[in-house]
C-alpha cells in the first residue's frame, strides 16, 4: 500500500523532481557498485601480495640449495618477477580516488580514470604478470628436467595456465569493469545536463 502511494506521488510530481530522483538513484547505484568493486580490488591485492611475501623466502632457499645454474637463474628471475608484480599493484592502488577530497563530479572522472587503469592492467596481464613468472619457470624447468617428455608436458601445462589467466581476466573486464564504466558515463552525462 505504501509503495503504491509513493509511486503515485512520484508520477504526479513535476518533471524536475523526477529527474532529481533518477539522478540520486543513479548516484546511489553507481556508488554501491564502486564500493563493491573497490573491495574486490583490495581483496585481489591482498590475495596476491600476502602469498607472494611468504613464498619469496622459500624461493630464496631453493635458489641457494639447487645445484643447477640455469634453475638458480630461473628462481631468481621468479623472485624478481614477484617483487615487480607487488610493486605494480601498489602503484596502481595509488590511483584510487578518494570521495572525500574532491567534488562528486571530479570524483567520477578520477574513478573513471582508475577503472581504465584497472582495465588496462587486466587486459595486459599476460605481459606484466604471467610472462615474467613463466620465463623464470621455463628457465627452472630447462635447467633441472632432463626428460624431454616431462619438460614438454610441463611447458604445455604452463601455456594452458597462461591461456586460462588471460581469459579469466578478460571475463573480469567484461563483467565488472566495462559495466561500471558505462554507469559512470551515464551518471556524468546526467550530471552535466
Amino acid at each position: 500500500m505504501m509503495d503504491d502511494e509513493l509511486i503515485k506521488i512520484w508520477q504526479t510530481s513535476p518533471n524536475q523532481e523526477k529527474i532529481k530522483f533518477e539522478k540520486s538513484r543513479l548516484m546511489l547505484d553507481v556508488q554501491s557498485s564502486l564500493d563493491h568493486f573497490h573491495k574486490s580490488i583490495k581483496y585481489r591485492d591482498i590475495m596476491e601480495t600476502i602469498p607472494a611475501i611468504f613464498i619469496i623466502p622459500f624461493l630464496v632457499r631453493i635458489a641457494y640449495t639447487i645445484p643447477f645454474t640455469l634453475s638458480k637463474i630461473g628462481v631468481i628471475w621468479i623472485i624478481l618477477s614477484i617483487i615487480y608484480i607487488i610493486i605494480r599493484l601498489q602503484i596502481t592502488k595509488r590511483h584510487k580516488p578518494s570521495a572525500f577530497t574532491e567534488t562528486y563530479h571530479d570524483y567520477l572522472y578520477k574513478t573513471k580514470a582508475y577503472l581504465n587503469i584497472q582495465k588496462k592492467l587486466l587486459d595486459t596481464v599476460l605481459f606484466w604478470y604471467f610472462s615474467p613468472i613463466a620465463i623464470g619457470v621455463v628457465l627452472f624447468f630447462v635447467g633441472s628436467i632432463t626428460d624431454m617428455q616431462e619438460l614438454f608436458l610441463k611447458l604445455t601445462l604452463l601455456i594452458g595456465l597462461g591461456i586460462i589467466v588471460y581469459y579469466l581476466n578478460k571475463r573480469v573486464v567484461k563483467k565488472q569493469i566495462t559495466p561500471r564504466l558505462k554507469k559512470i558515463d551515464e551518471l556524468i552525462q546526467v550530471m552535466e545536463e
Side-chain angles (χ1 to χ4, degrees), residues 35-51 89 93 96 114 176:
D35 289 344
H36 178 71
F37 179 74
H38 290 311
K39 285 179 187 174
S40 68
I41 293 296
K42 183 178 180 180
Y43 178 75
R44 178 204 68 193
D45 290 351
I46 288 171
M47 293 308 294
E48 293 289 335
T49 305
I50 290 176
L89 291 174
K93 190 175 10 178
K96 181 182 171 192
Y114 177 68
Q176 292 186 15

Side-chain angles (χ1 to χ4, degrees), residues 3 12 17 22 40 43 45 47 50 58 68 76 85 94 107 114 118 124 140 145 150 153 156 158 161 167 173 178 189:
D3 289 338
T12 59
E17 293 298 319
E22 286 297 319
S40 68
Y43 178 75
D45 290 351
M47 293 308 294
I50 290 176
F58 176 71
F68 311 110
I76 292 169
I85 290 167
R94 291 183 195 154
Y107 170 74
Y114 177 68
Q118 290 293 335
T124 60
F140 179 81
I145 297 176
E150 182 182 354
L153 176 66
T156 304
L158 187 64
L161 182 62
Y167 281 108
V173 167
T178 305
Q189 186 177 9

Side-chain angles (χ1 to χ4, degrees), residues 41-57 82-91 93 128-129:
I41 293 296
K42 183 178 180 180
Y43 178 75
R44 178 204 68 193
D45 290 351
I46 288 171
M47 293 308 294
E48 293 289 335
T49 305
I50 290 176
I53 290 170
F54 283 112
I55 202 167
I56 288 175
I82 290 171
I83 293 169
Y84 170 73
I85 290 167
I86 292 170
I87 291 169
R88 181 105 189 233
L89 291 174
Q90 294 303 312
I91 289 171
K93 190 175 10 178
W128 68 269
Y129 182 88

Side-chain angles (χ1 to χ4, degrees), residues 1-175:
M1 184 75 173
M2 183 72 159
D3 289 338
D4 292 335
E5 290 175 17
L6 287 174
I7 290 171
K8 286 180 185 177
I9 292 170
W10 182 74
Q11 287 173 339
T12 59
S13 6
N15 228 11
Q16 191 175 12
E17 293 298 319
K18 288 181 186 178
I19 291 170
K20 284 182 184 177
F21 175 75
E22 286 297 319
K23 187 196 261 185
S24 6
R25 189 178 63 83
L26 187 57
M27 287 171 73
L28 290 173
D29 185 35
V30 166
Q31 194 57 51
S32 172
S33 177
L34 289 174
D35 289 344
H36 178 71
F37 179 74
H38 290 311
K39 285 179 187 174
S40 68
I41 293 296
K42 183 178 180 180
Y43 178 75
R44 178 204 68 193
D45 290 351
I46 288 171
M47 293 308 294
E48 293 289 335
T49 305
I50 290 176
I53 290 170
F54 283 112
I55 202 167
I56 288 175
F58 176 71
L59 291 172
V60 168
R61 180 169 162 70
I62 289 175
Y64 181 73
T65 59
I66 197 160
F68 311 110
T69 305
L70 195 56
S71 294
K72 280 183 187 281
I73 293 169
V75 173
I76 292 169
W77 185 271
I78 293 170
I79 293 167
L80 294 174
S81 299
I82 290 171
I83 293 169
Y84 170 73
I85 290 167
I86 292 170
I87 291 169
R88 181 105 189 233
L89 291 174
Q90 294 303 312
I91 289 171
T92 305
K93 190 175 10 178
R94 291 183 195 154
H95 294 282
K96 181 182 171 192
S98 172
F100 303 110
T101 58
E102 306 100 11
T103 66
Y104 193 68
H105 195 262
D106 291 339
Y107 170 74
L108 288 176
Y109 274 107
K110 288 184 179 179
T111 301
K112 182 179 176 181
Y114 177 68
L115 286 174
N116 280 319
I117 289 169
Q118 290 293 335
K119 182 178 184 286
K120 183 179 178 186
L121 195 72
L122 295 176
D123 282 339
T124 60
V125 74
L126 283 181
F127 302 110
W128 68 269
Y129 182 88
F130 184 78
S131 293
I133 291 176
I135 290 169
V137 170
V138 168
L139 290 173
F140 179 81
F141 286 160
V142 170
S144 60
I145 297 176
T146 55
D147 182 16
M148 291 308 283
Q149 280 186 323
E150 182 182 354
L151 179 63
F152 179 75
L153 176 66
K154 288 187 177 184
L155 292 178
T156 304
L157 289 173
L158 187 64
I159 291 169
L161 182 62
I163 292 169
I164 290 170
V165 166
Y166 175 77
Y167 281 108
L168 285 176
N169 281 282
K170 284 292 187 185
R171 184 171 183 258
V172 169
V173 167
K174 183 180 177 183
K175 298 280 185 184

